[in-house]
Amino acid sequence: MACSKIFSGDLPELINEIIQYFRHDYKTLHSCILVNKLWCRLAIPLLWEDPFSIKFPKNYHFIEIYLRNLNDNDKTKLNEYGINDDLFPSNTLFNYPSYIKHLDTRRINNSIENWEAAIRALQYFNYSVQNTLQDFIKLIYRSLFLIFIENEVNLHSLEVSLYSHQGCKYFDGAFELILQNPNFIYNIKNLKLDFYITAETITKLLTFLNSNCNSISSLYFLFPSYKDNHSTIEKSLSQIINSQESLRRILLGFNGFPLYHSLLSLKSSNCLNTLNTIIFYYVNFKNIIVLNEVFNQLNVLESIHIIYCYSLNTKFIQQIINIIKPFKLKSLLLIEEILEIEPLELLIQKFGNELEDFGINVKNNSQQLLHLLESVIKYCYKIKFLYLPVGLNNQKINLVFNLIENIKQNLNYLLIDVLDHYYDDHLSSNILQNLGQILPLKLEYLNLGLAINGNDLEIFLKNSQNTFIRKLLIRNKKKEENEDILLYIKEYIMKKRRVKYLAILENFHEKSEDLFFLKDKVKEFELYGIQVLNYYSLYIDINYFINEIYL
């Protein structure tokens, strides 16, 4: 009876809660819109919050649905490129532009380029010497922002990623519209600035943000890695920090200059009673000496995250250990080739009982690294994300097995992704023969990048048959071209429905084959409720990890 009421729409609040649960499960949301009008009305806004950033494969014709909202004058400009009204839907059931919540400039640009390629293939598109492809992309880019502004959207997140001068030119037109309509970004809560070049647009943008956005809760700063104009940029970033009234999380990354002023701005900002999370990403701590001075002023600091940073030496770690205000070290991902193991052991000894994310991406195979792993085993019980991408020999992998055994009640993400020049048949065999029986009953994500032997894979799959893996990725460095691991995957994964998403990438010499492009096999997996995805669309890199878990 209760179930029938839900499907008939008698419990709209409950239905809304259920559909909200599927916010990023786009396939399920697409199914929801087919149930009835109420389900459709609740699911459509979630599907259209940020179509540019949907990671899983899609077509890009949603851009045409947006562009139908252009006025006649702007549509005339599109006519110059051979794009007429017959490309756009004649009518739509919803005001789709009004649902946009998140905008990422890089992904908008990528979506436009993919859409242009698709309509050109359909012979909808042409351009002359006077109207270049770059002019077209800039026109579409600006048109999309105009449509969103005119619909008075309530934008929640803005990511400005500018990696080239051409990217800046595309953004210039959109930024002119934002300058004229500051309310468009007035209420944003999440701001990400990621740029590798200096340009006048960036300086203007920082000044504008400082004056018009003061309710940001998450700030993500990826600094340019050069010295030109760095004092102006750092001053502007400090001003943005100082202007915030409810800042809760901040990421500082890729700094090409000292973070002295940016860090000190935290001390004198309005966020002393709001800032609870600080993420350091690819930061060189060599000349940073103000951590005690700053951190001891932050009244509600809960956690810091150290991800692929440099100069994690005694001088730096002593600053961390001497901070009086209580906080947790939640993430420690190591990348330096030469690590000072002893101070790191002190860090783990003090903070390891709260550490949730740990990884070693180093080429150091010294005996000291063994001691570091032993410290992690001894002090770290709450690790959820374990990342071991390179350079582990059999002695160290046996310690890793001990670690997994210790943390499996919390472990949710496991990446053992050995780079090509480290592939070792015996190491891969050791991992496959011993990993399965120590996995937890449920994993959100498992990525295995190994040189896989079919018999070893069968042992792994048999030993792990009680584990449900929501996202399983396999990158196989094949030793023999004719060996087919799909036989084992079908028997122990597909037929037993043990995963929801699957990605397999196999490499043999210079050839590469992704299961996603083998359409007949993909359909076979779909019959068992398993969605096969492109390997790199499902792969979690560190950027994705930060965005999904902490921002």
Side-chain angles (χ1 to χ4, degrees):
M1 177 67 71
C3 185
S4 64
K5 285 186 177 182
I6 291 175
F7 279 92
S8 64
D10 289 344
L11 301 172
E13 294 85 3
L14 180 58
I15 297 170
N16 186 48
E17 286 188 22
I18 293 172
I19 292 180
Q20 289 288 332
Y21 176 78
F22 298 114
R23 175 171 243 105
H24 300 296
D25 187 342
Y26 300 105
K27 187 175 181 179
T28 300
L29 288 173
H30 276 287
S31 298
C32 288
I33 66 177
L34 303 176
V35 175
N36 57 38
K37 290 182 179 180
L38 175 62
W39 284 55
C40 180
R41 181 171 57 81
L42 295 174
I44 284 292
L46 299 182
L47 281 168
W48 285 85
E49 282 185 346
D50 183 14
F52 299 100
S53 298
I54 295 176
K55 191 171 183 180
F56 301 142
K58 61 178 183 295
N59 68 61
Y60 295 87
H61 293 291
F62 67 88
I63 290 177
E64 297 154 20
I65 296 177
Y66 284 143
L67 294 178
R68 75 173 297 275
N69 292 273
L70 286 174
N71 59 42
D72 291 339
N73 183 52
D74 290 321
K75 286 183 179 179
T76 299
K77 295 177 183 178
L78 294 181
N79 293 158
E80 298 175 9
Y81 298 89
I83 296 178
N84 300 309
D85 286 354
D86 59 349
L87 180 63
F88 308 130
S90 57
N91 56 69
T92 57
L93 295 175
F94 298 91
N95 181 13
Y96 297 103
S98 67
Y99 299 132
I100 200 80
K101 298 290 185 184
H102 312 279
L103 289 177
D104 179 337
T105 60
R106 179 177 59 87
R107 288 175 172 168
I108 291 173
N109 183 66
N110 291 342
S111 296
I112 293 172
E113 290 179 346
N114 284 309
W115 173 70
E116 180 276 327
I119 62 173
R120 178 155 37 89
L122 296 173
Q123 298 181 340
Y124 268 103
F125 175 73
N126 61 73
Y127 56 89
S128 63
V129 175
Q130 290 77 23
N131 295 314
T132 66
L133 176 59
Q134 287 72 30
D135 292 331
F136 176 73
I137 293 175
K138 186 174 182 178
L139 172 62
I140 300 301
Y141 201 110
R142 184 183 186 280
S143 297
L144 290 171
F145 272 83
L146 178 62
I147 290 166
F148 298 140
I149 289 171
E150 289 179 341
N151 277 273
E152 299 181 349
V153 301
N154 183 20
L155 198 63
H156 186 269
S157 301
L158 175 65
E159 300 186 21
V160 182
S161 303
L162 302 175
Y163 299 158
S164 66
H165 290 288
Q166 189 62 55
C168 278
K169 289 179 180 179
Y170 293 152
F171 181 66
D172 279 343
F175 183 49
E176 288 176 8
L177 293 173
I178 294 174
L179 287 173
Q180 298 165 19
N181 300 273
N183 287 342
F184 178 60
I185 63 170
Y186 183 77
N187 291 319
I188 59 171
K189 304 302 180 187
N190 300 319
L191 172 65
K192 175 181 176 180
L193 301 177
D194 182 3
F195 44 86
Y196 293 162
I197 61 171
T198 52
E200 185 180 357
T201 300
I202 292 171
T203 305
K204 287 182 179 179
L205 174 64
L206 293 174
T207 302
F208 176 79
L209 290 168
N210 176 43
S211 303
N212 292 277
C213 300
N214 59 11
S215 59
I216 297 170
S217 60
S218 293
L219 277 174
Y220 188 146
F221 292 148
L222 286 180
F223 294 68
S225 57
Y226 44 75
K227 297 182 179 180
D228 295 343
N229 206 27
H230 72 260
S231 60
T232 301
I233 292 174
E234 189 182 16
K235 181 180 178 181
S236 297
L237 294 178
S238 298
Q239 290 172 342
I240 292 174
I241 293 172
N242 281 324
S243 68
Q244 300 313 308
E245 299 175 354
S246 54
L247 184 62
R248 297 182 62 237
R249 293 181 294 275
I250 188 169
L251 180 146
L252 302 170
F254 280 118
N255 65 304
F257 46 87
L259 293 175
Y260 182 80
H261 294 293
S262 297
L263 283 170
L264 284 183
S265 65
L266 295 175
K267 175 185 171 183
S268 57
S269 69
N270 295 320
C271 64
L272 296 182
N273 294 314
T274 61
L275 186 64
N276 60 33
T277 303
I278 301 176
I279 303 171
F280 294 107
Y281 179 51
Y282 276 107
V283 169
N284 191 333
F285 289 110
K286 183 177 181 180
N287 297 314
I288 296 177
I289 58 174
V290 295
L291 293 180
N292 290 61
E293 183 180 352
V294 173
F295 282 28
N296 283 324
Q297 299 298 316
L298 301 175
N299 296 320
V300 295
L301 181 65
E302 295 178 0
S303 65
I304 69 168
H305 305 261
I306 299 173
I307 299 173
Y308 287 173
C309 293
Y310 299 93
S311 301
L312 303 180
N313 51 31
T314 301
K315 184 178 179 181
F316 163 74
I317 288 176
Q318 200 61 51
Q319 289 185 73
I320 296 292
I321 290 176
N322 289 340
I323 294 170
I324 297 173
K325 291 289 180 70
F327 69 91
K328 299 173 182 178
L329 176 64
K330 287 288 189 71
S331 303
L332 182 61
L333 299 175
L334 305 173
I335 193 173
E336 284 188 288
E337 292 190 19
I338 301 176
L339 294 171
E340 294 188 25
I341 301 298
E342 290 183 7
L344 285 171
E345 287 183 304
L346 291 175
L347 191 69
I348 289 170
Q349 183 175 344
K350 179 167 183 177
F351 296 104
N353 63 329
E354 298 294 342
L355 193 67
E356 294 183 359
D357 315 306
F358 180 75
I360 304 175
N361 189 358
V362 298
K363 300 175 183 178
N364 187 329
N365 269 319
S366 68
Q367 190 69 24
Q368 284 186 308
L369 193 55
L370 289 174
H371 296 320
L372 181 63
L373 283 171
E374 289 170 349
S375 294
V376 175
I377 293 170
K378 183 176 181 180
Y379 295 106
C380 305
Y381 297 94
K382 298 180 180 179
I383 294 175
K384 299 177 181 178
F385 181 96
L386 185 59
Y387 186 38
L388 301 164
V390 299
L392 295 172
N393 58 27
N394 280 292
Q395 187 177 13
K396 293 186 183 67
I397 202 65
N398 289 333
L399 285 176
V400 170
F401 293 150
N402 293 338
L403 174 59
I404 293 172
E405 186 73 58
N406 275 7
I407 64 174
K408 69 179 182 180
Q409 68 273 21
N410 294 300
L411 185 63
N412 205 21
Y413 295 80
L414 176 59
L415 293 81
I416 301 178
D417 190 10
V418 184
L419 296 182
D420 290 354
H421 56 284
Y422 279 106
Y423 273 111
D424 177 277
D425 289 348
H426 184 61
L427 175 61
S428 295
S429 180
N430 188 4
I431 292 171
L432 290 171
Q433 290 186 22
N434 293 281
L435 180 62
Q437 56 264 46
I438 59 174
L439 290 179
L441 294 177
K442 184 177 180 181
L443 276 173
E444 172 69 19
Y445 185 95
L446 176 63
N447 188 339
L448 297 176
L450 304 168
I452 296 176
N453 172 281
N455 292 331
D456 292 330
L457 179 62
E458 184 174 26
I459 292 172
F460 167 76
L461 294 174
K462 282 183 177 179
N463 288 338
S464 62
Q465 60 186 320
N466 293 323
T467 299
F468 178 80
I469 305 165
R470 188 168 184 267
K471 300 175 183 177
L472 173 63
L473 293 82
I474 295 175
R475 185 165 69 101
N476 180 23
K477 180 73 171 181
K478 296 175 68 171
K479 296 300 181 181
E480 297 181 11
E481 186 173 15
N482 59 354
E483 183 166 19
D484 186 7
I485 66 170
L486 275 184
L487 297 174
Y488 305 100
I489 297 294
K490 288 180 180 180
E491 182 66 28
Y492 296 99
I493 294 293
M494 184 180 76
K495 292 181 180 179
K496 296 186 178 181
R497 304 173 190 262
R498 288 178 47 200
V499 305
K500 184 169 184 179
Y501 301 104
L502 176 67
I504 299 177
L505 179 66
E506 296 195 275
N507 300 311
F508 181 73
H509 296 315
E510 301 300 321
K511 294 195 302 184
S512 179
E513 184 176 75
D514 193 311
L515 176 62
F516 174 73
F517 297 105
L518 306 178
K519 297 304 181 183
D520 290 340
K521 292 183 171 64
V522 169
K523 290 179 180 178
E524 189 176 355
F525 279 93
E526 287 178 346
L527 294 175
Y528 290 83
I530 297 173
Q531 187 174 353
V532 176
L533 298 172
N534 180 291
Y535 178 86
Y536 290 106
S537 73
L538 200 58
Y539 183 81
I540 290 182
D541 61 14
I542 295 302
N543 270 318
Y544 178 80
F545 160 72
I546 293 171
N547 282 328
E548 289 297 304
I549 298 179
Y550 292 111
L551 294 180

